[in-house]
C-alpha cells in the first residue's frame, strides 16, 4: 500500500553545486532498503506504480530528511548578498507598473547557481523581457530584514522547490493537486512575507475525537489491565510500535481505493487523505508547514478504512525484521499479531468503550504508565534534564517553539502553572468522599439540569438514540422503515406549515439521515439532516419532539448527540434555516445569526426557505457535547475544593518576626514567612509600550505593514463582499447612494502606487469600506454582518502591528 510520495534528495554529494533543480528532491528508487534495527516505522511497498510513489525504508527516509536539512544549512550560511539573490528570484519587482514576479538570471549566467559560487551584482538586469529592471528593484523591500526572518523565507523557498520537483514526478491527480496547492501557499507566503497558515474547508486538527493514540492506550488498559506489570508494559510497547508504524505509514491515493470503498466511504477517505497530505505527510519534510502526527489528529473513521491492509503490512514487517530486534524486544514481535486481532475486534464494534469520548482509564493507571515511560527514557538515554532540554530546544522547528518562547519572554506577565497531579487527585477524592457522606444530596440533588435526567433515562435504556436513513444500494431492515415512518409522522404533526409530501421526500431521501429519539420502540423526536463532508458542514432540515414529551430536555440532548456525531465524522459546522418560533431554541443550542463560514462554502448546497433565518453553530473537536454539562459541574466541584484547600493553607498561623528586636533595620519582603505560600509574587515594572508608527517612520516599513494587514483582511472569511468594486450590473442604484466607493482591490492598487504615505490615509480608506456597506445595507443583511466581522478583525491586526491608537 502506498500513497503520497516521500520526497528524497538525489543520490549526490550534499555539498555539490547546482541550481534549484539540481538540489531538488525526487523519489527513492529502492524501497527495499533495510529499516532501523529496533523500531518499525515505515512499510516497504511492493507497489511502485501508485500515483504518489512508493514508500522508502526508514534509513532512506532519514537520509533524505538529513540531506534537506544539510542543503538548508548550506543556504543559511551563504553571504547576505547571495541570500538576497536567492530571495529575489521569488520576489516581485518593486518598480512602478512592473508585473514581474521574480528576478531572472541574465542569459550569460542562467546556468550558474547562487547557492554555490555565483553572486550577481545588484545592478544586473532581469532577463524577463517585460521587466528588465535591476536585481536591486526585486529586493528593495527586503531592506532591514532580520537574519532569522531571512532564513525562514529561504527555508520556505527550498521547501517550494522540493514540492515543485515532487509534483512533476507524481502521477496521481489528487496528490498532485495538493502539492500544487501547498506550493502556491508557500509561494504566496514568501511574496507577502508571512507565516504559512492553511485555511479552508479541510478544517483544523484534530479532526476526530477520540484520536487514534488515545483510543489505543485506552484499549491497552481495557484489554490487558489484568496482566502482570511486566506483561502490561510489553503490551504498552506493542501499542507504541503500532502507533509509530501508523505515524510513518504511506496511505493510498483515493483513485486506488475506489474499487473497495462505497460512495460515502470513498468521499470521506478522499477528505482524510487530503488532510493527511497537508498536515502530516508533506510537513514531515517541509518544516515551513506545521507538522502533526497521524495518530493524534485522526480517529476511528480513518483507521477503519486502512486497518486491514496496514495490519498485513505490519505483520510482514514483524516477520522480516524479527532477527534484527534485540533479544529483550522480541516479545513485541510475538505479541503483535494477537494485539492486531484484538484491536480489529474493538474497531468493528459499534459499542466499544475505547471509542467512547468519555471513556478514560483511571488516573492511577495513567500516572503509572507515565512514570514507567520516564524511567525507561532516563535509563536508556542517561542524559541530564538540563542537557536534554537544551537539545530539544535547539532542534525544534520555529513554529513548535513559539509558545515556549513567548512564555519565556513575557517575564512581566502572570505565569500560570498546572497544579501537581497529587493536589488534583486529593481534591477529586475529597469531592467523592463528600458526596458519599452527604446522602441527602444524592437523593435530592440540587439544581440538577434536565439534561442530567435525560442522560439517566438513556443509561437505563428507557430512551435510545439512533442515526437512521434510507438506502437504494443495500436492504433496509423493517425496524428502520417503521422508525422512518414514525419520524415522518412526528415532523408532520409538529411542523404543520411544512407540506407532508416535502417531509416524506426528505426523510426517505438517501442523502439525508435522521437522528431518532426512540422511547418504548417508538420515535418521539428527531433531527433530519444532510451532511456535506466535502464542504465541511451539515445542514439541519427538520428538528422536532412530540408535544407530550417536550420540556423534558430531549431537544437539547438530541442536538448534543448530533454535534458529537458530526465531530466523529470530521464535520465542525452546522447550518440551518430557522423560522421565528425556532430561533430561541437554536440560540440555546449554541447557534448564532453570525455566519462564520464563507458564503461560497455553502451557497448552492443548503436549501433556502422564505421567511426563515440562517443560523450557524461551530463545533469544537475536543468537546464531548453530551458530557459537557456534567464535566463542567464536576470541574466546578473540584475547583471549589481546591479553593477550600488553598484557603486552609492561607489561614495557617505563622510565628511573628523577631529579627527587628535583634537590631536588623530591614528585611526583603519575600523573606516574610508564609508570604510566597499564599501566592504573593514580586511585582514587575510594566514594560513601556511603544507609540504607534507615526508619519515620520520609514515609508517602506510602513508600506510593508499595510501590505501585511491588507493581505490578512483579504483572506478573512467575511471579506468576499469587499474584494472588488461594486458593478452597476450587480447593483444598479449603488452609486446613486454611495458617492465615494472603496474596496480592497482599489486599496491594493493604491498601496502599490505608494499612495498610503501615512497610516491615516490607509485607515480612512478601510473605514470607508465598512461605512459604505452599513449605509447601503440594512442591519439584518449578511453584508452588514460581514462588515462588522471584518472591521473587528482588521482592528485586531492593526493593534498587533502597533498601528492602532484608539
Amino acid at each position: 500500500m502506498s500513497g503520497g510520495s516521500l520526497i528524497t534528495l538525489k543520490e549526490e554529494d550534499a555539498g555539490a553545486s547546482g541550481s534549484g533543480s539540481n538540489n531538488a528532491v525526487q523519489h527513492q528508487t529502492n524501497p527495499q532498503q533495510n529499516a532501523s534495527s529496533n523500531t518499525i516505522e515505515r512499510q516497504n511497498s511492493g507497489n511502485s506504480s501508485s500515483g504518489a510513489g512508493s514508500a522508502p525504508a526508514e534509513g532512506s527516509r532519514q537520509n533524505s530528511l538529513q540531506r534537506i536539512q544539510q542543503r538548508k544549512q548550506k543556504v543559511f550560511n551563504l553571504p547576505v548578498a547571495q541570500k538576497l539573490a536567492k530571495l529575489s528570484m521569488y520576489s516581485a519587482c518593486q518598480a512602478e507598473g512592473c508585473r514581474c514576479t521574480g528576478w531572472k538570471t541574465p542569459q550569460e549566467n542562467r546556468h550558474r547557481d547562487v547557492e554555490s559560487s555565483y553572486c550577481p551584482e545588484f545592478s544586473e538586469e532581469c532577463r524577463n523581457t517585460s521587466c528588465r529592471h535591476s536585481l536591486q528593484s526585486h529586493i528593495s523591500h527586503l531592506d532591514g530584514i532580520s537574519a532569522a526572518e531571512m532564513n525562514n523565507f529561504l527555508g520556505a523557498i527550498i521547501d517550494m522547490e522540493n514540492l515543485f520537483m515532487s509534483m512533476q514526478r507524481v502521477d496521481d491527480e489528487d496528490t498532485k493537486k495538493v502539492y500544487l496547492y501547498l506550493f502556491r501557499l508557500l509561494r504566496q507566503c514568501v511574496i507577502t512575507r508571512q507565516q504559512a497558515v492553511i485555511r479552508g474547508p479541510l478544517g483544523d486538527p484534530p479532526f476526530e475525537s477520540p484520536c487514534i493514540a488515545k483510543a489505543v492506550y485506552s484499549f491497552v488498559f481495557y484489554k490487558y489491565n489484568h496482566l502482570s506489570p511486566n506483561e502490561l508494559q510489553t503490551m504498552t510497547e506493542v501499542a507504541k510500535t503500532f502507533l509509530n508504524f501508523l505515524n510513518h505509514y504511506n496511505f493510498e491515493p483515493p483513485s486506488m481505493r475506489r474499487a473497495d470503498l462505497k460512495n460515502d466511504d470513498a468521499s470521506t477517505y478522499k477528505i482524510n487523505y487530503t488532510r493527511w497530505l497537508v498536515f502530516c505527510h508533506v510537513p514531515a519534510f517541509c518544516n515551513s508547514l506545521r507538522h502533526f502526527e497521524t495518530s493524534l489528529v485522526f480517529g476511528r473513521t480513518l483507521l477503519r478504512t486502512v486497518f486491514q491492509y496496514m495490519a498485513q503490512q505490519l505483520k510482514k514487517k514483524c516477520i522480516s525484521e524479527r532477527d534484527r530486534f534485540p533479544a529483550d524486544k522480541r516479545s513485541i514481535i510475538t505479541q503483535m499479531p494477537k494485539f492486531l486481532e484484538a484491536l480489529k475486534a474493538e474497531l468493528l464494534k459499534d459499542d466499544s468503550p475505547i471509542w467512547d469520548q468519555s471513556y478514560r482509564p483511571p488516573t492511577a493507571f495513567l500516572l503509572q504508565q507515565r512514570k514507567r515511560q520516564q524511567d525507561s527514557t532516563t535509563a536508556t538515554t542517561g542524559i541530564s534534564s538540563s542537557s536534554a532540554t537544551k537539545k530539544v530546544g535547539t532542534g525544534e522547528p520555529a513554529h513548535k517553539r513559539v509558545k515556549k518562547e513567548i512564555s519565556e519572554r513575557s517575564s512581566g506577565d502572570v505565569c500560570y502553572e498546572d497544579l501537581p497531579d497529587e493536589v488534583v487527585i486529593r481534591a477529586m477524592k475529597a469531592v467523592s468522599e463528600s458526596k458519599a457522606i452527604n446522602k441527602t444530596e444524592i437523593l435530592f440533588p440540587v439544581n440538577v439540569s434536565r439534561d442530567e435526567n435525560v442522560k439517566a433515562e438513556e443509561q437505563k435504556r428507557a430512551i435510545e438514540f439512533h442515526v437512521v436513513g434510507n438506502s437504494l444500494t443495500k436492504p433496509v431492515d423493517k425496524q428502520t422503515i417503521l422508525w422512518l415512518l414514525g419520524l415522518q409522522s412526528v415532523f408532520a404533526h409538529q411542523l404543520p406549515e411544512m407540506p407532508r409530501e416535502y417531509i416524506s421526500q426528505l426523510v426517505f431521501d438517501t442523502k439525508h439521515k435522521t437522528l431518532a429519539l426512540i422511547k418504548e420502540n417508538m420515535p418521539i423526536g428527531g433531527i433530519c439532516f444532510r451532511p456535506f463532508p466535502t464542504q465541511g458542514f451539515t445542514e439541519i432540515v427538520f428538528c422536532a419532539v412530540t408535544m407530550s414529551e417536550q420540556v423534558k430536555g430531549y431537544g437539547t440532548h438530541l442536538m448534543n448527540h448530533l454535534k458529537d456525531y458530526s465531530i466523529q465524522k470530521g464535520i465542525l459546522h452546522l447550518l440551518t434555516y430557522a423560522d421565528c418560533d425556532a430561533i430561541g431554541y437554536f440560540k440555546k443550542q449554541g447557534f448564532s445569526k453570525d455566519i462564520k463560514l464563507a458564503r461560497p462554502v455553502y451557497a448552492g448546497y443548503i436549501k433556502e426557505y422564505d421567511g426563515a433565518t440562517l443560523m450557524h453553530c461551530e463545533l469544537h473537536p475536543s468537546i464531548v457535547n453530551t458530557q459537557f454539562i456534567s464535566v463542567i459541574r464536576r470541574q466546578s466541584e473540584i475547583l471549589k475544593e481546591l479553593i477550600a484547600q488553598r484557603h486552609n493553607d492561607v489561614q495557617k498561623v505563622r510565628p511573628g518576626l523577631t529579627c527587628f528586636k535583634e537590631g536588623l533595620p530591614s528585611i526583603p519582603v519575600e523573606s516574610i514567612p508564609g508570604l510566597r505560600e499564599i501566592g504573593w509574587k514580586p511585582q514587575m515594572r510594566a514594560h513601556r509600550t511603544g507609540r504607534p508608527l507615526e508619519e515620520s517612520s520609514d515609508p517602506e516599513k510602513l508600506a510593508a505593514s499595510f501590505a501585511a494587514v491588507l493581505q490578512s483582511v483579504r483572506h478573512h472569511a467575511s471579506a468576499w463582499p469587499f474584494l472588488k468594486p461594486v458593478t452597476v450590473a450587480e447593483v444598479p442604484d449603488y452609486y446613486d447612494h454611495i458617492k465615494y466607493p472603496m474596496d480592497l482591490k482599489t486599496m491594493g492598487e493604491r498601496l502599490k502606487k505608494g499612495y498610503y504615505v501615512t497610516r491615516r490615509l490607509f485607515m480612512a480608506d478601510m473605514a470607508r469600506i465598512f461605512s459604505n456597506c452599513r449605509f447601503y445595507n440594512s442591519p439584518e443583511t449578511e453584508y452588514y454582518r460581514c462588515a462588522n466581522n471584518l472591521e473587528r478583525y482588521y482592528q485586531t491586526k492593526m493593534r498587533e502591528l502597533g498601528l492602532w491608537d484608539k
Side-chain angles (χ1 to χ4, degrees), residues 588-626:
K588 291 179 181 178
Q589 309 310 318
F591 284 74
S592 169
K593 299 178 183 179
D594 183 12
I595 313 300
K596 296 183 179 180
L597 275 178
R599 182 174 176 81
V601 173
Y602 61 85
Y605 293 90
I606 187 171
K607 292 177 284 293
E608 299 186 5
Y609 298 88
D610 294 334
T613 302
L614 181 63
M615 303 188 74
H616 169 247
C617 178
E618 185 174 4
L619 307 178
H620 195 287
S622 301
I623 294 178
V624 184
N625 292 275
T626 50

Side-chain angles (χ1 to χ4, degrees), residues 294-417:
T294 306
S295 61
L296 296 179
V297 297
F298 291 99
R300 187 178 192 178
T301 304
L302 178 67
L303 189 60
R304 264 186 170 178
T305 310
V306 302
F307 184 82
Q308 181 175 356
Y309 197 83
M310 190 185 76
Q312 294 174 3
Q313 294 291 319
L314 182 52
K315 290 177 183 177
K316 292 178 182 178
K317 190 74 171 176
C318 288
I319 295 173
S320 63
E321 297 294 328
R322 180 180 180 84
D323 295 336
R324 301 186 56 136
F325 266 64
D328 58 337
K329 296 289 185 181
R330 289 185 183 174
S331 57
I332 296 176
I333 299 293
T334 306
Q335 297 295 334
M336 183 62 73
K338 300 177 183 178
F339 176 88
L340 293 174
E341 289 300 322
L343 181 59
K344 179 181 179 181
E346 297 301 321
L347 187 62
L348 298 177
K349 285 182 182 177
D350 292 332
D351 56 348
S352 175
I354 70 171
W355 300 104
D356 186 352
Q357 297 180 9
S358 61
Y359 180 80
R360 179 180 174 85
T363 307
F365 172 79
L366 297 176
L367 293 175
Q368 186 180 18
Q369 293 298 102
R370 187 185 306 171
K371 184 176 183 300
R372 286 178 180 171
Q373 184 177 1
Q374 292 173 349
D375 293 343
S376 63
T377 303
T378 305
T380 303
T381 59
I383 302 176
S384 66
S385 60
S386 60
S387 62
T389 304
K390 187 174 182 180
K391 183 176 180 181
V392 171
T394 56
E396 289 177 341
H399 62 265
K400 293 185 179 180
R401 302 198 302 267
V402 170
K403 290 185 179 180
K404 181 169 64 178
E405 291 173 355
I406 290 176
S407 64
E408 292 173 354
R409 287 197 302 266
S410 57
S411 57
D413 298 336
V414 179
C415 181
Y416 298 96
E417 299 178 355

Side-chain angles (χ1 to χ4, degrees), residues 199-246:
R199 300 184 179 92
L202 287 178
D204 299 318
F207 305 110
E208 193 171 355
S209 182
C211 66
I212 297 174
K214 180 180 182 300
V216 168
Y217 284 123
S218 298
F219 166 75
V220 171
F221 171 79
Y222 175 70
K223 194 73 176 178
Y224 304 109
N225 189 40
H226 63 282
L227 300 178
S228 65
N230 290 336
E231 292 175 324
L232 182 59
Q233 181 63 22
T234 298
M235 299 313 298
T236 303
E237 293 296 329
V238 173
K240 290 180 182 177
T241 304
F242 170 79
L243 293 175
N244 199 33
F245 185 80
L246 174 66

Side-chain angles (χ1 to χ4, degrees), residues 362-581:
T363 307
F365 172 79
L366 297 176
L367 293 175
Q368 186 180 18
Q369 293 298 102
R370 187 185 306 171
K371 184 176 183 300
R372 286 178 180 171
Q373 184 177 1
Q374 292 173 349
D375 293 343
S376 63
T377 303
T378 305
T380 303
T381 59
I383 302 176
S384 66
S385 60
S386 60
S387 62
T389 304
K390 187 174 182 180
K391 183 176 180 181
V392 171
T394 56
E396 289 177 341
H399 62 265
K400 293 185 179 180
R401 302 198 302 267
V402 170
K403 290 185 179 180
K404 181 169 64 178
E405 291 173 355
I406 290 176
S407 64
E408 292 173 354
R409 287 197 302 266
S410 57
S411 57
D413 298 336
V414 179
C415 181
Y416 298 96
E417 299 178 355
D418 289 338
L419 292 173
D421 293 334
E422 296 76 11
V423 175
V424 178
I425 292 173
R426 187 169 69 247
M428 294 171 63
K429 185 177 179 180
V431 171
S432 301
E433 291 176 352
S434 175
K435 283 188 175 182
I437 294 173
N438 192 356
K439 300 294 184 181
T440 57
E441 186 175 344
I442 296 175
L443 294 175
F444 305 101
V446 180
N447 297 329
V448 175
S449 66
R450 293 178 299 171
D451 184 71
E452 292 296 325
N453 295 328
V454 177
K455 285 197 291 186
E457 289 187 58
E458 186 178 6
Q459 290 176 354
K460 296 175 183 178
R461 297 280 184 175
I463 59 173
E464 296 178 356
F465 295 87
H466 298 276
V467 177
V468 295
N470 197 11
S471 176
L472 299 177
T473 58
K474 59 183 180 181
V476 181
D477 59 272
K478 182 179 179 181
Q479 183 65 75
T480 299
I481 294 296
L482 292 176
W483 283 347
L484 289 174
L485 290 170
L487 289 165
Q488 175 196 17
S489 177
V490 170
F491 293 141
H493 280 87
Q494 298 304 127
L495 306 172
E497 296 183 2
M498 195 67 66
R500 284 179 174 266
E501 296 79 5
Y502 182 68
I503 294 175
S504 302
Q505 175 186 342
L506 296 189
V507 169
F508 287 93
D509 179 47
T510 56
K511 296 179 181 178
H512 288 70
K513 298 182 182 299
T514 304
L515 175 62
L517 169 59
I518 307 299
K519 188 173 185 178
E520 297 178 356
N521 207 32
M522 289 290 294
I524 62 171
I527 300 177
C528 181
F529 61 95
R530 180 180 177 180
F532 292 93
T534 57
Q535 301 304 111
F537 76 92
T538 288
E539 174 195 7
I540 297 176
V541 184
F542 306 127
C543 178
V545 176
T546 303
M547 180 67 71
S548 59
E549 301 290 347
Q550 291 181 2
V551 201
K552 294 182 180 180
Y554 289 145
T556 297
H557 206 53
L558 257 174
M559 187 61 69
N560 287 337
H561 268 285
L562 179 62
K563 291 176 180 178
D564 289 346
Y565 175 84
S566 299
I567 292 173
Q568 291 175 5
K569 299 297 182 181
I571 297 176
L572 301 181
H573 298 276
L574 301 179
L575 289 174
T576 186
Y577 270 95
D579 58 29
C580 56
D581 296 328

